[in-house]
Amino acid sequence: MSDTRAPVREVGQFLAFCLDTLRGLGRRPVQVREFVQQAWFISSVSILPAALVAIPFGAVIALQLGSLVRQLGAQSFTGAASVLAVVREAGPIVTALIIAGAGGSAICADLGARKIREELDAMRVLGIDPVQRLVVPRVLASMLVAVLLNGLVSVVGVAGGYLFNVVMQGGTPGAYLASFQALGQLPDLVVGEIKALLFGATAGLVASYKGMTARGGPKGVGDAVNQSVVITFMLLFALNFVVTAVYFQVVPQKGT
């Protein structure tokens, strides 16, 4: 019976941890130095991989959509389809995967090491809340870096798609840009940034929770890092589906 209740208990503990983190946002003092350090660290390990991953993402999307719209006789809408796919879907997902894989794993390993060295227990004995002192700055840093990184990924992905469409598929630069202006709208960019914000918060929360609940020595920390990455990926795709479904229901699309 205890094995069947374990997943439910784990979900409840994670939700309680999220509430504790939310309450920690309004507490003083604000850990500005820790926030800046974590934001710099996460960005330093995420910028280059994100840019390198965004180029093939944009290229693949441009090549696939270019072939599809050419079969349908709608070559003039290649730019709109490629840019919207990158800005609204691929950009936030690439950002989230990099944040979870690079930044999230580092956060989990750091907090897990503190856990097995009993530093977190020592902080509680001294009257310091580890969630407010360590988790809140890391989650806020993940959210900020995710939003900024999403802009970089979107620009690089769109540039890569433009290059491959114009150079390899013989597209027209003017038609590529004009079709995006005809179908694209500001809410497309806004929902991409909202997704990146939510994905960054999710990656930071899962990584922090798994790190602070690690047990079993160094091996337990390694297992916690692997679990945090896998769980974050699963939550991200589910959250992406929910946000996209709500967006299409709330925001009217051009051309419909």
Side-chain angles (χ1 to χ4, degrees):
M1 182 65 68
S2 59
D3 292 337
T4 59
R5 292 178 180 177
V8 178
R9 188 182 304 112
E10 188 79 9
V11 173
Q13 292 174 351
F14 175 69
L15 293 178
F17 178 81
C18 293
L19 292 177
D20 291 339
T21 305
L22 186 61
R23 286 198 298 265
L25 294 175
R27 295 178 184 173
R28 298 295 184 271
V30 179
Q31 306 298 327
V32 178
R33 182 177 179 180
E34 186 76 14
F35 166 75
V36 173
Q37 290 177 345
Q38 292 300 318
W40 173 255
F41 171 74
I42 296 174
S43 61
S44 65
V45 300
S46 302
I47 289 178
L48 183 59
L52 295 178
V53 171
I55 295 175
F57 253 87
V60 170
I61 290 175
L63 293 174
Q64 294 290 343
L65 291 179
S67 300
L68 178 62
V69 297
R70 194 162 52 244
Q71 294 175 6
L72 298 176
Q75 294 90 332
S76 59
F77 293 102
T78 302
S82 300
V83 174
L84 290 179
V86 171
V87 172
R88 203 160 57 193
E89 299 296 336
I93 290 178
V94 170
T95 300
L97 296 182
I98 296 298
I99 291 291
S105 59
I107 290 174
C108 183
D110 177 39
L111 294 179
R114 293 172 184 261
K115 171 68 174 179
I116 64 174
R117 291 198 302 261
E118 299 182 349
E119 292 183 18
L120 303 182
D121 296 331
M123 293 177 66
R124 294 188 179 96
V125 171
L126 295 173
I128 302 173
D129 184 8
V131 173
Q132 191 267 340
R133 178 64 178 82
L134 300 176
V135 175
V136 171
R138 285 163 170 77
V139 173
L140 291 178
S142 299
M143 295 169 65
L144 175 64
V145 174
V147 171
L148 298 179
L149 201 62
N150 180 62
L152 173 65
V153 171
S154 298
V155 171
V156 174
V158 170
Y162 173 86
L163 179 65
F164 276 82
N165 178 260
V166 173
V167 174
M168 299 187 62
Q169 295 182 318
T172 305
Y176 189 94
L177 299 177
S179 63
F180 171 64
Q181 295 176 356
L183 295 181
Q185 51 186 345
L186 182 60
D188 295 324
L189 177 61
V190 173
V191 74
E193 294 291 354
I194 292 175
K195 284 183 179 181
L197 185 71
L198 295 176
F199 294 168
T202 302
L205 286 169
V206 173
S208 299
Y209 172 75
K210 296 303 293 184
M212 295 188 70
T213 58
R215 58 179 63 89
K219 182 180 182 300
V221 176
D223 293 338
V225 171
N226 293 334
Q227 293 172 9
S228 69
V229 174
V230 174
I231 293 173
T232 302
F233 285 2
M234 295 173 61
L235 291 177
L236 292 180
F237 286 109
L239 188 59
N240 180 65
F241 171 77
V242 173
V243 174
T244 303
V246 172
Y247 171 74
F248 282 119
Q249 293 295 324
V250 173
V251 180
Q253 303 298 302
K254 285 186 176 182
T256 58

